[in-house]
Coordinates of all heavy atoms in Angstrom, one line a residue:
M1 N 0.8 -1.2 0.0 CA 0.0 0.0 0.0 C 0.9 1.2 0.0 O 1.8 1.3 0.7 CB -0.8 0.0 1.3 CG -2.2 -0.5 1.1 SD -3.1 -0.4 2.7 CE -3.6 1.3 2.7
I2 N 0.5 2.2 -0.8 CA 1.2 3.5 -0.7 C 0.5 4.4 0.2 O -0.7 4.6 0.2 CB 1.3 4.1 -2.2 CG1 2.1 3.2 -3.1 CG2 1.9 5.5 -2.2 CD1 2.0 3.6 -4.5
K3 N 1.3 5.0 1.1 CA 0.8 5.9 2.0 C 1.6 7.2 2.0 O 2.8 7.2 1.8 CB 1.0 5.3 3.5 CG -0.1 4.3 3.8 CD -1.0 4.9 4.9 CE -2.1 4.0 5.3 NZ -3.1 4.7 6.1
N4 N 1.0 8.3 2.3 CA 1.6 9.6 2.3 C 1.8 9.9 3.8 O 0.8 10.1 4.5 CB 0.8 10.6 1.6 CG 1.4 12.0 1.6 OD1 2.5 12.2 2.2 ND2 0.8 12.9 0.9
Y5 N 3.0 10.1 4.3 CA 3.2 10.4 5.6 C 2.5 11.7 6.0 O 2.0 11.9 7.2 CB 4.8 10.7 5.8 CG 5.5 9.6 6.4 CD1 6.9 9.4 6.1 CD2 5.0 8.8 7.4 CE1 7.6 8.4 6.7 CE2 5.7 7.8 8.0 CZ 7.1 7.6 7.6 OH 7.8 6.6 8.2
A6 N 2.4 12.6 5.1 CA 1.8 13.9 5.4 C 0.3 13.7 5.8 O -0.2 14.2 6.8 CB 1.9 14.9 4.3
E7 N -0.3 12.8 5.1 CA -1.7 12.4 5.4 C -1.9 11.8 6.7 O -2.8 12.0 7.5 CB -2.4 11.5 4.3 CG -2.7 12.2 3.1 CD -3.3 11.3 2.1 OE1 -4.1 10.4 2.4 OE2 -2.9 11.4 0.9
V8 N -0.9 10.9 7.0 CA -1.0 10.2 8.3 C -0.8 11.2 9.4 O -1.5 11.2 10.5 CB 0.2 9.1 8.4 CG1 0.2 8.4 9.8 CG2 -0.1 8.1 7.3
A9 N 0.1 12.1 9.3 CA 0.4 13.1 10.3 C -0.8 14.0 10.5 O -1.2 14.3 11.6 CB 1.6 14.0 9.9
V10 N -1.5 14.4 9.4 CA -2.6 15.3 9.5 C -3.8 14.6 10.2 O -4.4 15.1 11.1 CB -3.1 15.8 8.1 CG1 -4.4 16.5 8.2 CG2 -2.1 16.8 7.6
E11 N -4.0 13.3 9.8 CA -5.1 12.5 10.5 C -4.8 12.4 12.0 O -5.7 12.5 12.8 CB -5.1 11.1 9.9 CG -5.8 11.0 8.6 CD -7.3 11.5 8.7 OE1 -7.9 11.3 9.7 OE2 -7.8 12.0 7.7
E12 N -3.5 12.2 12.3 CA -3.2 12.1 13.7 C -3.3 13.3 14.6 O -3.7 13.3 15.7 CB -1.7 11.6 13.7 CG -1.3 10.9 15.0 CD 0.2 10.4 14.9 OE1 0.3 9.3 14.4 OE2 1.1 11.2 15.3
M13 N -3.0 14.5 14.0 CA -2.9 15.7 14.7 C -4.2 16.6 14.6 O -4.4 17.5 15.4 CB -1.7 16.5 14.3 CG -0.4 15.8 14.5 SD 1.0 16.6 13.7 CE 1.1 18.2 14.6
F14 N -5.0 16.4 13.5 CA -6.0 17.3 13.2 C -7.1 17.5 14.3 O -7.3 18.7 14.7 CB -6.7 16.9 11.9 CG -7.8 17.9 11.5 CD1 -7.4 19.0 10.8 CD2 -9.1 17.6 11.8 CE1 -8.4 19.9 10.4 CE2 -10.1 18.5 11.4 CZ -9.7 19.7 10.7
D15 N -7.6 16.4 14.9 CA -8.7 16.6 15.9 C -8.2 17.4 17.1 O -9.0 18.2 17.6 CB -9.1 15.2 16.3 CG -10.0 14.5 15.2 OD1 -10.3 15.2 14.2 OD2 -10.3 13.3 15.3
R16 N -7.0 17.1 17.5 CA -6.5 17.8 18.7 C -6.3 19.3 18.5 O -6.7 20.1 19.3 CB -5.2 17.2 19.2 CG -4.6 17.7 20.5 CD -3.4 17.0 20.9 NE -2.3 16.9 19.9 CZ -1.5 17.9 19.6 NH1 -1.6 19.0 20.3 NH2 -0.6 17.9 18.7
L17 N -5.8 19.6 17.3 CA -5.6 21.0 16.9 C -6.9 21.7 16.8 O -7.1 22.9 17.1 CB -4.7 21.1 15.7 CG -3.2 20.7 15.9 CD1 -2.5 20.7 14.6 CD2 -2.5 21.6 16.9
L18 N -7.9 21.0 16.2 CA -9.2 21.6 16.0 C -9.8 22.0 17.3 O -10.5 23.0 17.5 CB -10.1 20.7 15.1 CG -11.5 21.3 14.8 CD1 -11.4 22.6 14.0 CD2 -12.3 20.3 14.0
K19 N -9.7 21.0 18.3 CA -10.3 21.2 19.6 C -9.7 22.4 20.3 O -10.3 23.2 20.9 CB -10.0 19.9 20.4 CG -11.1 19.6 21.4 CD -10.8 18.4 22.2 CE -11.4 17.1 21.7 NZ -11.0 15.9 22.4
E20 N -8.3 22.5 20.2 CA -7.6 23.7 20.7 C -8.2 25.0 20.1 O -8.4 25.9 20.8 CB -6.1 23.6 20.3 CG -5.4 22.6 21.1 CD -5.2 23.0 22.6 OE1 -4.7 24.1 22.8 OE2 -5.6 22.2 23.5
H21 N -8.3 25.0 18.8 CA -8.8 26.1 18.1 C -10.2 26.5 18.5 O -10.5 27.7 18.6 CB -8.8 25.9 16.6 CG -9.3 27.0 15.7 ND1 -8.5 28.1 15.4 CD2 -10.5 27.3 15.2 CE1 -9.2 29.0 14.7 NE2 -10.4 28.5 14.5
L22 N -11.0 25.5 18.8 CA -12.4 25.8 19.2 C -12.5 26.5 20.6 O -13.5 27.1 20.8 CB -13.2 24.5 19.2 CG -13.6 23.9 17.8 CD1 -14.2 22.5 18.0 CD2 -14.6 24.8 17.1
K23 N -11.5 26.3 21.4 CA -11.5 27.0 22.7 C -11.4 28.5 22.4 O -12.0 29.3 23.2 CB -10.3 26.5 23.5 CG -10.4 25.2 24.1 CD -9.3 24.8 25.0 CE -9.2 23.4 25.3 NZ -7.8 22.9 25.6
K24 N -10.7 28.9 21.4 CA -10.5 30.3 21.1 C -11.6 30.9 20.2 O -12.1 32.0 20.3 CB -9.2 30.6 20.4 CG -8.0 30.5 21.4 CD -6.6 30.6 20.7 CE -6.2 29.3 20.0 NZ -5.1 29.4 19.2
E25 N -12.0 30.0 19.2 CA -13.0 30.4 18.2 C -14.2 29.4 18.2 O -14.3 28.6 17.3 CB -12.4 30.4 16.8 CG -11.2 31.4 16.7 CD -11.6 32.8 16.5 OE1 -12.9 33.0 16.2 OE2 -10.8 33.7 16.6
P26 N -15.0 29.4 19.3 CA -16.1 28.4 19.4 C -17.1 28.4 18.2 O -17.8 27.4 18.1 CB -16.7 28.7 20.7 CG -16.3 30.1 21.1 CD -15.0 30.4 20.3
D27 N -17.1 29.4 17.4 CA -18.1 29.5 16.4 C -17.6 28.8 15.1 O -18.4 28.7 14.1 CB -18.4 30.9 16.0 CG -19.2 31.6 17.1 OD1 -19.8 30.9 18.0 OD2 -19.2 32.8 17.2
T28 N -16.4 28.3 15.1 CA -15.9 27.6 13.9 C -16.7 26.4 13.5 O -17.0 25.6 14.4 CB -14.4 27.2 14.2 OG1 -13.6 28.3 14.6 CG2 -13.8 26.6 12.9
C29 N -17.1 26.4 12.2 CA -17.9 25.2 11.8 C -17.0 23.9 11.7 O -15.9 24.0 11.3 CB -18.4 25.5 10.4 SG -19.5 24.2 9.8
T30 N -17.6 22.9 12.2 CA -16.8 21.6 12.2 C -17.6 20.5 11.5 O -17.5 19.3 11.8 CB -16.6 21.2 13.7 OG1 -17.8 21.0 14.4 CG2 -15.7 22.1 14.5
C31 N -18.4 20.9 10.5 CA -19.1 19.9 9.7 C -18.1 19.1 8.9 O -17.0 19.5 8.7 CB -20.2 20.6 8.8 SG -19.5 21.4 7.4
E32 N -18.6 18.0 8.4 CA -17.8 17.1 7.6 C -17.0 17.9 6.5 O -15.8 17.7 6.3 CB -18.7 16.0 7.0 CG -18.0 15.0 6.1 CD -17.2 14.0 7.0 OE1 -17.5 13.8 8.2 OE2 -16.3 13.3 6.4
Q33 N -17.8 18.7 5.7 CA -17.2 19.4 4.6 C -16.1 20.4 5.0 O -15.0 20.4 4.4 CB -18.3 20.2 3.8 CG -17.8 20.7 2.5 CD -18.8 21.6 1.8 OE1 -20.0 21.6 2.1 NE2 -18.3 22.4 0.9
C34 N -16.3 21.1 6.1 CA -15.3 22.0 6.5 C -14.1 21.3 7.0 O -12.9 21.7 6.7 CB -15.8 22.9 7.6 SG -17.0 24.2 7.0
R35 N -14.3 20.2 7.7 CA -13.1 19.5 8.2 C -12.3 18.9 7.1 O -11.1 18.9 7.1 CB -13.6 18.4 9.2 CG -13.8 19.0 10.6 CD -14.1 17.9 11.6 NE -15.5 17.3 11.4 CZ -15.8 16.0 11.2 NH1 -14.8 15.1 11.3 NH2 -17.0 15.6 11.0
E36 N -13.0 18.4 6.0 CA -12.3 17.9 4.9 C -11.5 19.0 4.2 O -10.4 18.8 3.7 CB -13.3 17.2 3.9 CG -14.0 16.0 4.5 CD -13.1 14.7 4.4 OE1 -13.0 14.2 3.3 OE2 -12.6 14.3 5.4
D37 N -12.2 20.2 4.0 CA -11.6 21.3 3.4 C -10.3 21.7 4.2 O -9.3 22.0 3.6 CB -12.6 22.5 3.4 CG -13.5 22.4 2.2 OD1 -13.3 21.6 1.3 OD2 -14.5 23.2 2.2
M38 N -10.4 21.7 5.5 CA -9.2 22.1 6.3 C -8.1 21.1 6.1 O -6.9 21.5 5.9 CB -9.6 22.1 7.8 CG -10.6 23.2 8.2 SD -11.4 22.9 9.8 CE -12.4 24.3 10.0
K39 N -8.4 19.9 6.1 CA -7.4 18.8 5.9 C -6.7 19.0 4.5 O -5.5 18.9 4.4 CB -7.9 17.4 6.1 CG -8.3 17.1 7.5 CD -8.8 15.7 7.7 CE -9.4 15.4 9.0 NZ -10.0 14.1 9.2
A40 N -7.6 19.2 3.5 CA -7.0 19.3 2.1 C -6.1 20.5 2.0 O -5.1 20.4 1.4 CB -8.2 19.4 1.1
L41 N -6.6 21.6 2.6 CA -5.8 22.8 2.5 C -4.5 22.7 3.2 O -3.4 23.1 2.7 CB -6.6 24.0 3.1 CG -6.0 25.4 3.0 CD1 -5.8 25.8 1.6 CD2 -6.9 26.4 3.7
A42 N -4.5 22.0 4.4 CA -3.3 21.8 5.2 C -2.3 20.9 4.3 O -1.1 21.2 4.2 CB -3.6 21.1 6.5
L43 N -2.9 19.8 3.7 CA -2.0 18.9 3.0 C -1.4 19.6 1.7 O -0.3 19.2 1.3 CB -2.9 17.7 2.5 CG -3.0 16.7 3.6 CD1 -4.1 15.7 3.2 CD2 -1.7 16.0 4.0
N44 N -2.1 20.6 1.2 CA -1.5 21.3 0.0 C -0.3 22.1 0.5 O 0.5 22.6 -0.4 CB -2.5 22.2 -0.6 CG -3.5 21.5 -1.5 OD1 -3.2 20.4 -1.9 ND2 -4.7 22.0 -1.6
N45 N -0.1 22.3 1.8 CA 1.0 23.2 2.3 C 2.1 22.3 3.0 O 2.9 22.9 3.6 CB 0.5 24.2 3.2 CG -0.2 25.3 2.4 OD1 0.3 25.8 1.4 ND2 -1.5 25.6 2.8
I46 N 1.9 21.0 2.9 CA 2.9 20.1 3.6 C 3.5 19.3 2.5 O 2.8 18.7 1.6 CB 2.2 19.2 4.6 CG1 1.5 20.0 5.7 CG2 3.2 18.2 5.2 CD1 0.6 19.2 6.6
P47 N 4.8 19.2 2.4 CA 5.5 18.4 1.3 C 5.1 16.9 1.5 O 5.2 16.4 2.6 CB 6.9 18.7 1.5 CG 7.1 19.2 2.9 CD 5.8 19.9 3.2
P48 N 4.7 16.3 0.5 CA 4.3 14.8 0.6 C 5.5 14.0 0.7 O 6.6 14.4 0.3 CB 3.5 14.5 -0.6 CG 4.1 15.5 -1.7 CD 4.4 16.8 -0.9
H49 N 5.4 12.9 1.4 CA 6.4 11.9 1.5 C 5.8 10.5 1.5 O 5.2 10.1 2.4 CB 7.4 12.1 2.7 CG 8.5 11.1 2.6 ND1 9.7 11.4 2.1 CD2 8.6 9.8 3.1 CE1 10.5 10.4 2.2 NE2 9.9 9.4 2.8
Y50 N 5.9 9.8 0.3 CA 5.3 8.5 0.2 C 6.1 7.4 0.7 O 7.3 7.4 0.5 CB 4.8 8.3 -1.3 CG 3.7 9.3 -1.7 CD1 4.0 10.5 -2.3 CD2 2.4 8.9 -1.4 CE1 3.0 11.3 -2.6 CE2 1.4 9.8 -1.8 CZ 1.7 11.0 -2.4 OH 0.7 11.8 -2.7
V51 N 5.5 6.4 1.3 CA 6.1 5.2 1.7 C 5.3 4.1 1.3 O 4.0 4.2 1.2 CB 6.4 5.2 3.3 CG1 7.5 6.2 3.7 CG2 5.1 5.4 4.0
V52 N 5.9 2.9 1.2 CA 5.2 1.7 0.9 C 5.1 0.9 2.2 O 6.1 0.6 2.8 CB 5.9 0.8 -0.2 CG1 5.1 -0.4 -0.5 CG2 5.9 1.7 -1.5
T53 N 3.9 0.5 2.5 CA 3.7 -0.4 3.7 C 3.1 -1.7 3.4 O 2.5 -1.9 2.3 CB 2.7 0.3 4.7 OG1 1.4 0.4 4.1 CG2 3.2 1.7 5.1
E54 N 3.2 -2.6 4.2 CA 2.6 -4.0 4.1 C 1.1 -3.7 4.2 O 0.6 -2.8 4.9 CB 2.9 -4.8 5.3 CG 4.4 -5.0 5.5 CD 4.9 -6.4 5.0 OE1 4.0 -7.3 5.0 OE2 6.0 -6.6 4.6
K55 N 0.4 -4.5 3.4 CA -1.1 -4.3 3.4 C -1.6 -4.4 4.8 O -1.3 -5.3 5.5 CB -1.7 -5.4 2.5 CG -3.1 -5.0 2.1 CD -3.7 -6.0 1.2 CE -5.2 -5.6 0.9 NZ -6.0 -6.7 0.3
G56 N -2.4 -3.4 5.2 CA -3.0 -3.5 6.5 C -2.1 -3.0 7.7 O -2.6 -2.8 8.8
A57 N -0.9 -2.8 7.4 CA 0.0 -2.3 8.4 C -0.3 -0.9 8.7 O -0.7 -0.1 7.9 CB 1.5 -2.4 8.0
I58 N -0.1 -0.5 10.0 CA -0.4 0.9 10.4 C 0.9 1.5 10.7 O 1.8 1.0 11.3 CB -1.3 0.9 11.7 CG1 -2.7 0.4 11.3 CG2 -1.4 2.3 12.3 CD1 -3.6 0.0 12.5
L59 N 1.1 2.7 10.2 CA 2.3 3.5 10.4 C 2.2 4.1 11.8 O 1.4 5.0 12.1 CB 2.4 4.7 9.4 CG 2.9 4.3 8.0 CD1 2.9 5.5 7.2 CD2 4.2 3.7 8.1
K60 N 3.0 3.6 12.7 CA 2.9 4.1 14.1 C 3.8 5.3 14.3 O 3.4 6.2 15.0 CB 3.4 3.0 15.1 CG 2.4 1.8 15.1 CD 2.4 1.1 16.4 CE 1.5 -0.1 16.5 NZ 2.1 -1.3 15.9
Q61 N 4.9 5.3 13.6 CA 5.8 6.5 13.9 C 5.8 7.3 12.6 O 6.2 6.8 11.5 CB 7.2 5.9 14.1 CG 7.4 5.5 15.5 CD 8.2 6.5 16.3 OE1 9.3 6.9 16.1 NE2 7.4 7.2 17.2
V62 N 5.4 8.5 12.7 CA 5.4 9.4 11.6 C 6.8 10.1 11.6 O 7.2 10.7 12.6 CB 4.3 10.5 11.7 CG1 4.4 11.5 10.6 CG2 2.9 9.8 11.7
G63 N 7.4 10.0 10.4 CA 8.7 10.7 10.3 C 8.6 12.1 9.9 O 8.6 12.5 8.8
F64 N 8.4 13.0 11.0 CA 8.1 14.4 10.8 C 9.2 15.1 10.0 O 8.9 16.0 9.3 CB 7.8 15.1 12.1 CG 6.4 14.8 12.6 CD1 6.2 14.0 13.7 CD2 5.3 15.4 12.0 CE1 4.9 13.7 14.1 CE2 4.0 15.2 12.5 CZ 3.8 14.4 13.5
D65 N 10.4 14.6 10.2 CA 11.5 15.3 9.5 C 11.4 15.1 8.0 O 11.9 15.9 7.2 CB 12.9 14.8 10.0 CG 12.9 13.3 10.1 OD1 11.8 12.6 10.3 OD2 14.0 12.7 9.9
L66 N 10.7 14.1 7.6 CA 10.5 13.8 6.1 C 9.5 14.7 5.5 O 9.4 14.9 4.3 CB 10.1 12.4 5.9 CG 11.1 11.3 6.4 CD1 10.5 9.9 6.3 CD2 12.4 11.4 5.5
I67 N 8.7 15.4 6.3 CA 7.6 16.2 5.8 C 7.7 17.6 6.3 O 6.7 18.3 6.5 CB 6.2 15.6 6.0 CG1 6.0 15.2 7.5 CG2 6.0 14.3 5.1 CD1 4.6 14.8 7.9
G68 N 8.9 18.1 6.6 CA 9.1 19.5 6.9 C 9.2 19.8 8.4 O 9.4 20.9 8.8
G69 N 9.0 18.8 9.3 CA 9.1 19.0 10.7 C 7.8 19.2 11.3 O 6.8 19.6 10.7
K70 N 7.7 18.8 12.6 CA 6.4 18.8 13.3 C 5.8 20.2 13.4 O 4.6 20.5 13.3 CB 6.5 18.2 14.7 CG 5.2 17.9 15.4 CD 5.4 17.0 16.6 CE 4.0 16.6 17.1 NZ 4.1 15.5 18.0
A71 N 6.7 21.2 13.7 CA 6.2 22.6 13.8 C 5.6 23.1 12.5 O 4.6 23.8 12.5 CB 7.4 23.5 14.2
Q72 N 6.2 22.7 11.4 CA 5.6 23.1 10.1 C 4.3 22.5 9.8 O 3.4 23.1 9.3 CB 6.6 22.6 9.0 CG 7.8 23.4 8.8 CD 7.4 24.8 8.1 OE1 7.4 25.8 8.7 NE2 7.1 24.7 6.8
V73 N 4.2 21.2 10.2 CA 2.9 20.5 10.0 C 1.8 21.1 10.9 O 0.7 21.4 10.4 CB 3.1 19.0 10.3 CG1 1.8 18.2 10.3 CG2 4.1 18.4 9.3
T74 N 2.2 21.4 12.2 CA 1.2 22.0 13.1 C 0.8 23.3 12.5 O -0.4 23.6 12.5 CB 1.9 22.2 14.5 OG1 2.4 21.0 14.9 CG2 0.9 22.8 15.4
S75 N 1.7 24.1 12.1 CA 1.3 25.4 11.6 C 0.5 25.4 10.3 O -0.4 26.2 10.1 CB 2.6 26.4 11.5 OG 2.8 26.7 10.2
A76 N 0.8 24.4 9.4 CA 0.0 24.3 8.2 C -1.5 23.9 8.6 O -2.4 24.4 8.0 CB 0.6 23.2 7.3
I77 N -1.6 23.0 9.6 CA -3.0 22.6 10.0 C -3.7 23.8 10.6 O -4.9 24.1 10.3 CB -2.9 21.4 11.0 CG1 -2.3 20.2 10.3 CG2 -4.3 21.1 11.5 CD1 -2.1 19.0 11.2
L78 N -3.0 24.5 11.5 CA -3.7 25.7 12.2 C -4.1 26.7 11.2 O -5.2 27.3 11.3 CB -2.8 26.2 13.3 CG -2.6 25.4 14.5 CD1 -1.6 26.0 15.5 CD2 -3.9 25.2 15.2
T79 N -3.2 27.0 10.2 CA -3.5 28.0 9.2 C -4.8 27.6 8.4 O -5.7 28.4 8.1 CB -2.3 28.2 8.3 OG1 -1.2 28.6 9.0 CG2 -2.6 29.3 7.2
A80 N -4.8 26.3 8.1 CA -6.0 25.8 7.3 C -7.2 25.9 8.1 O -8.3 26.3 7.6 CB -5.7 24.3 6.9
I81 N -7.2 25.6 9.4 CA -8.4 25.7 10.3 C -8.9 27.1 10.3 O -10.1 27.4 10.2 CB -8.1 25.1 11.7 CG1 -7.8 23.6 11.7 CG2 -9.2 25.5 12.7 CD1 -7.4 23.0 13.0
Q82 N -7.9 28.1 10.4 CA -8.3 29.5 10.5 C -8.9 29.9 9.2 O -9.9 30.6 9.1 CB -7.1 30.3 10.8 CG -6.9 30.4 12.3 CD -5.4 30.7 12.7 OE1 -4.7 31.2 11.8 NE2 -5.0 30.5 13.9
T83 N -8.2 29.5 8.1 CA -8.7 30.0 6.7 C -10.1 29.5 6.4 O -11.0 30.3 6.0 CB -7.7 29.5 5.6 OG1 -6.4 30.0 6.0 CG2 -8.0 30.1 4.3
V84 N -10.3 28.2 6.5 CA -11.6 27.6 6.2 C -12.6 28.1 7.3 O -13.8 28.4 6.9 CB -11.5 26.1 6.2 CG1 -12.9 25.5 6.0 CG2 -10.6 25.6 5.1
G85 N -12.2 28.2 8.5 CA -13.1 28.6 9.6 C -13.6 30.0 9.3 O -14.8 30.4 9.6
A86 N -12.8 30.9 8.8 CA -13.1 32.3 8.5 C -14.1 32.4 7.3 O -14.9 33.3 7.3 CB -11.9 33.1 8.2
S87 N -13.9 31.5 6.3 CA -14.9 31.5 5.2 C -15.2 30.2 4.7 O -14.6 29.7 3.7 CB -14.3 32.4 4.0 OG -13.0 31.9 3.7
P88 N -16.1 29.5 5.4 CA -16.5 28.1 4.9 C -17.1 28.2 3.6 O -17.8 29.2 3.2 CB -17.5 27.7 6.0 CG -17.6 28.7 7.0 CD -16.8 29.9 6.5
R89 N -17.0 27.1 2.7 CA -17.5 27.1 1.4 C -19.0 27.2 1.3 O -19.6 27.6 0.3 CB -17.0 25.8 0.7 CG -15.7 26.0 -0.1 CD -15.6 25.0 -1.1 NE -15.4 23.6 -0.5 CZ -15.6 22.5 -1.2 NH1 -15.9 22.6 -2.4 NH2 -15.3 21.4 -0.6
H90 N -19.6 26.6 2.4 CA -21.1 26.4 2.3 C -21.9 27.6 2.8 O -23.1 27.5 2.9 CB -21.5 25.2 3.0 CG -21.1 25.1 4.4 ND1 -21.6 25.9 5.4 CD2 -20.1 24.4 5.0 CE1 -20.9 25.7 6.6 NE2 -20.0 24.8 6.3
R91 N -21.2 28.7 3.1 CA -22.0 29.9 3.6 C -21.9 31.1 2.6 O -20.9 31.2 1.9 CB -21.4 30.4 4.9 CG -22.3 29.7 6.0 CD -21.8 30.3 7.4 NE -21.7 29.2 8.4 CZ -20.8 29.3 9.4 NH1 -20.1 30.4 9.6 NH2 -20.8 28.3 10.3
Ligands
ZN1 ZN1 -19.1 23.6 7.7

């Protein structure tokens, strides 16, 4: 299976960062579409790094150094949450 580390990292960190953001901006929409938009936008700003895994294997350790570093990934996700949160597509 081909996996993108960046996607694994976003899946892993997104919910926690969104929850943090909601403490400051409780009005942020968290519907399915907005969450997908936020993840897609974040991924467009994180360099991809593809790896091949055994079928069904779960990547436990994300190599953050391969995708720009954890701080970069965190900031890409937070920026995406703010951007989509400020102007959701469905409003
Ligand atoms: Zn929404």
Side-chain angles (χ1 to χ4, degrees):
M1 262 179 87
I2 296 172
K3 279 249 182 197
N4 179 359
Y5 260 148
E7 281 180 42
V8 177
V10 168
E11 281 300 328
E12 197 178 276
M13 297 167 69
F14 184 80
D15 287 349
R16 186 175 54 79
L17 291 172
L18 181 60
K19 212 183 266 179
E20 286 289 306
H21 179 79
L22 285 171
K23 285 183 197 159
K24 285 174 281 173
E25 301 280 346
D27 292 339
T28 305
C29 182
T30 57
C31 75
E32 181 76 19
Q33 191 187 343
C34 286
R35 280 185 287 126
E36 297 278 284
D37 280 346
M38 289 164 182
K39 288 180 191 178
L41 186 58
L43 282 168
N44 283 336
N45 290 307
I46 301 170
H49 184 92
Y50 290 93
V51 289
V52 177
T53 62
E54 305 257 333
K55 200 178 175 194
I58 292 165
L59 283 176
K60 292 211 182 78
Q61 279 261 291
V62 175
F64 280 106
D65 49 328
L66 298 171
I67 51 172
K70 193 166 190 169
Q72 281 287 105
V73 173
T74 303
S75 115
I77 297 173
L78 287 176
T79 303
I81 291 174
Q82 276 158 15
T83 305
V84 174
S87 54
R89 266 201 293 163
H90 54 73
R91 267 188 225 153

